[in-house]
Amino acid sequence: MAQALHPAATDHLPVFITEPGQTDYLFNVVVIFLLIGVLVLGNFYFQLHAFPERRAHRTSKVQMEIVAILALISLFTHNHIYWIAGLLLAFIQIPDFSSPLHSIAQSLAKLSGRDAETAENLALVADEPVEASDPAQRTEAHGGGI
């Protein structure tokens, strides 16, 4: 038996109004749409947020690590200035100052005839022991006698 309409109801009800106990299709469509929308927008947000770090992969290792740290700080603190600083740092090409200075130091060492001592000093700085050919040089490099 069909239910009688309430006297205040109109003869024509919109499609999204369902009878009691029936499936609400509009609700199901909206829930699916919102879930997909949240996933798409979240993916876009994280892709945009990681842009400086992906851009910094073309730079030096130290610069890339600084940009990655700035991006993480920005993500967790919601301070956008860190993200902007990381983005600017990712686009700036920092010149390599150490290679020319190292080359100048090596050239001066060759001109002065101190190649073995320079190699030992560089090895001590890098924490890689280099054995000198002369035992006297080895004791001088390590601070005197035995």
Side-chain angles (χ1 to χ4, degrees):
M1 175 165 131
Q3 281 186 330
L5 288 177
H6 190 275
T10 61
D11 293 333
H12 178 267
L13 294 177
V15 176
F16 58 86
I17 295 180
T18 58
E19 294 180 16
Q22 298 298 317
T23 303
D24 190 358
Y25 294 109
L26 180 64
F27 175 75
N28 293 338
V29 169
V30 169
V31 166
I32 291 170
F33 178 76
L34 282 177
L35 286 175
I36 291 172
V38 165
L39 291 175
V40 167
L41 286 175
N43 189 13
F44 175 72
Y45 173 76
F46 285 126
Q47 291 290 328
L48 180 66
H49 186 78
F51 177 71
E53 189 175 352
R54 284 186 278 127
R55 174 78 172 133
H57 277 287
R58 300 180 185 140
T59 62
S60 67
K61 182 178 187 259
V62 174
Q63 187 176 356
M64 184 199 61
E65 289 176 351
I66 292 171
V67 169
I69 289 170
L70 286 171
L72 278 175
I73 291 172
S74 171
L75 180 67
F76 292 128
T77 63
H78 300 290
N79 289 330
H80 302 301
I81 191 69
Y82 294 116
W83 188 85
I84 293 169
L87 183 66
L88 291 175
L89 186 60
F91 276 96
I92 294 173
Q93 183 65 32
I94 297 177
D96 183 19
F97 292 114
S98 63
S99 294
L101 292 176
H102 183 67
S103 175
I104 291 170
Q106 283 182 335
S107 298
L108 288 174
K110 285 181 184 178
L111 287 174
S112 66
R114 296 186 290 172
D115 285 334
E117 184 180 345
T118 304
E120 284 183 1
N121 288 340
L122 290 174
L124 288 174
V125 170
D127 292 328
E128 296 178 6
V130 172
E131 296 296 326
S133 58
D134 185 14
Q137 286 180 343
R138 193 176 322 143
T139 56
E140 289 174 6
H142 294 293
I146 301 175

